[in-house]
Amino acid sequence: MKRLRLGLSVGFFFLLTLSQAQTIQILDGQTKQGVAYATLGSKDYAVILSTDEKGKVEIDQLAAYDTIEVRSVGYQSLLLSLDEIRKSGKSIIYLQAAPLDMSAVVISATRWSQRRQDIPGRISSITPQEVAIQNPQTAADLLNIGGEVFIQKSQLGGGSPMVRGFSANRLLYTVDGVRMNTAIFRSGNLHNVISIDPLSVAGTEVFFGPGSIVYGSDAIGAVMAFETLKPEFSGGNDLLVKGNNLLRFSSANEEFTGHLDFQIGGNKLSFLTSVSGSFFNDLKMGQIGPAEYLRHSHVVRANGEDVIVPIADPRIQVSTAYDQINLMQKMRLQLNNYWELEYGFHYSNTTNIPRYDRLTRTRNGQPRSAEWFYGPQKWQMNNLQLSHKKQSRFFDEMSIRLAHQLFEESRIVRDFNDPIRYTQEERVDAFSLNFDFNWQIGEGKQLFYGFEGIFNQVQSQAQQFNIDDEQMGPSASRYPQSDWFSYALYGTYQQRLNEQWLLQGGLRYTQFGLRSDFRSNADFFPLPTLQASLDQGAFNANLGAVFQASDQTSINLNFSNGFRAPNVDDIGKVFDSEPGAVVVPNPDLDAETAYNAELGVTQMIQSKLRLNTSIYYTYLKNAMVRRDFQINGRDSIEYNGFLSQVQAIQNATNAYVYGFQFSAEYSISAALKTIMHFNFQRGEEETEDRQRSASRHIAPMFGDWRLTYQKNGLELQVNTFFNGAIPFDRLPVSERNKDHIYAIDEQGRPYAPAWYTLNLKAQYQINQQFAVQVGLENITNQRYRPDSSGIAGAGRNLILSFRASF
């Protein structure tokens, strides 16, 4: 596939909106810049609105309330009288930089806007302001800047979150409330999150711990919820035209990124378009660090044979380059005073993405693979949402989401000096339907409930191609042709007993199943069955409490359980998991269940210092793990020309994870703030020989520290990201034979060294339309590789970007 090239023109227009009585703008009292995504709510928070990127918001929905409260992280909260605003005609409200507080508004816990202090669990929010100063290249990098999600990478075009000892299909992703996980999300490191465009994201939340009550299967370690930009109405008879532009260059991988979003809005109809294109060259690693990470040669095809060619600069990770394009189109229509319709189209596509860690493996002193790359990774979503806001007999707010997603991915593999190239292609059509309701039953009593239906259709095919004689033939597909389904009823009840105590409980029942047909692979190796079906159910429950001891102290306790239903990847996958091993189908699987307990404390000290700690323990029962297996009494079969040990996913172990998350935020002055995150976790699972081993996705100790100065349009930040070491004795048993991705200790054993990066970021807001940014990452030029990653991080990296809005 040819490398994608995207020319983005930068257009600037005058803002055409006129101030309307029903529209107000929230500005920073010092910088006079708009405060994006500030929240305005009634005192009981039955209605919550949010400002746009310019700090503007329409307040029609709050007309029935005498007083509204304005909140934004980093600012003092403010009570406003709507009657006084109407009489004075005042349309601009100033917020003053703030002593810290414990209030914020989140949506990921119940799919509805709530105050963070009313949620008996830990939620991390990543604001657009943080994204702007950090300039992440992908959505995986975006999650990393929050300081509480660990990111593993097998290649540059990737990024697999690891949260509280869980990863891949034990974490759930949502985009605009739509479940992104599909029936082929695997247990190994998963990189689908990069399909989300970080430049079209308006806000990101990570809800830690099981979230199965609202989100169902896979929500064991965390739910990562992305909300994208939303079209705005003009608030009057005039036309609203606005947009944003970004151009960015990064030196470590010679990245060029261009982005443009613009919208046109009338009083009841608005449209938004977003386009992003990114072009990445091979990534250069740092200078100071383990020599094992350097790459001295790679394979090229010359004169009909594979040739090993030296790399002039071993710090350049040859075969990491790729390109990506993202498109988004949204439409929003106000049908009447109570009904609103919104449609969103999302599209993401990449060029081929080399699987860097597989290209560095060796066999008998030579490269194992001459080619190993993912074909273009394509994601497309159509999302139609109908919402209703009016008090009725059984709900106050209702939301209906109907979505279709298309996922296309492939793997292309050819061994060194082997003319046969194997290609596996997968396509998943994912349909989902959600009904969500929010019902204020009485004073201090609230019920969130809903229905969910999911259907996935999996199509998989494979072929082999001889690059010498150009003959094509059949090959074993990765998955059987399958249908996977799930439907559920769920509800969460909240009751405020008094000013100090809030209780919450939830229940969910899910019925799930699949139908798989293995006959397409019957000619390639023996199979225990040609067809498989699964029908099972799962109950989930949670119980939590929030104790507001004072304005300065909040304590929350939460007990919850989550589950993961066996999917097509678990039951029907065929692939080479590691040298000399092949994973085969196993239809005899049950769901795995997680039980979680969590205690959290938030403490304010003189409105200057905010401390937040969460301690958790999670027990995973009937965990699905890869273990040795037999097919018709045989423990080895031939796969892609090699005799390989047979393995399969099995309910073969139980596991546990415990740890704590800590953050401290200190407001030194109105202009100077500092924040630190620290994460510690440990966990074990039982191995085949009844021994205990560290769980595969337990990240090392990690965190960050930042010092930020902001005044008169200038923002300066110095920060450091740090990771602890994982010595050989704490490496999972399954990782100890992967010496191609780890450093080597003094005893010649693989291990993951500790590392840190020191970074400097600067942003200057020239005026309301233009901003320039400069960043220097990894100033000390460390050569580091996050735990379990197959690619080293960027060396010293200069980032230059220019932003414009109109």
Side-chain angles (χ1 to χ4, degrees), residues 119 153 175 365 505 590 641 643 689:
I119 306 299
K153 288 189 177 184
V175 180
D590 296 319
L643 188 65
D689 56 1

Side-chain angles (χ1 to χ4, degrees), residues 6 8 197 199 255-260 275-279 324-326:
L6 179 66
L8 297 178
D197 180 9
L199 295 170
E255 174 215 14
F256 286 95
T257 288
H259 167 81
L260 173 67
V275 183
S276 297
S278 295
F279 316 104
Q324 180 168 341
I325 185 172
N326 285 82

Side-chain angles (χ1 to χ4, degrees), residues 25-35 92 94 96 768:
Q25 186 175 26
I26 308 299
L27 299 181
D28 184 298
Q30 185 176 19
T31 67
K32 305 302 186 289
Q33 301 295 313
V35 179
I92 294 178
Y94 293 100
Q96 302 303 321
Q768 287 198 2

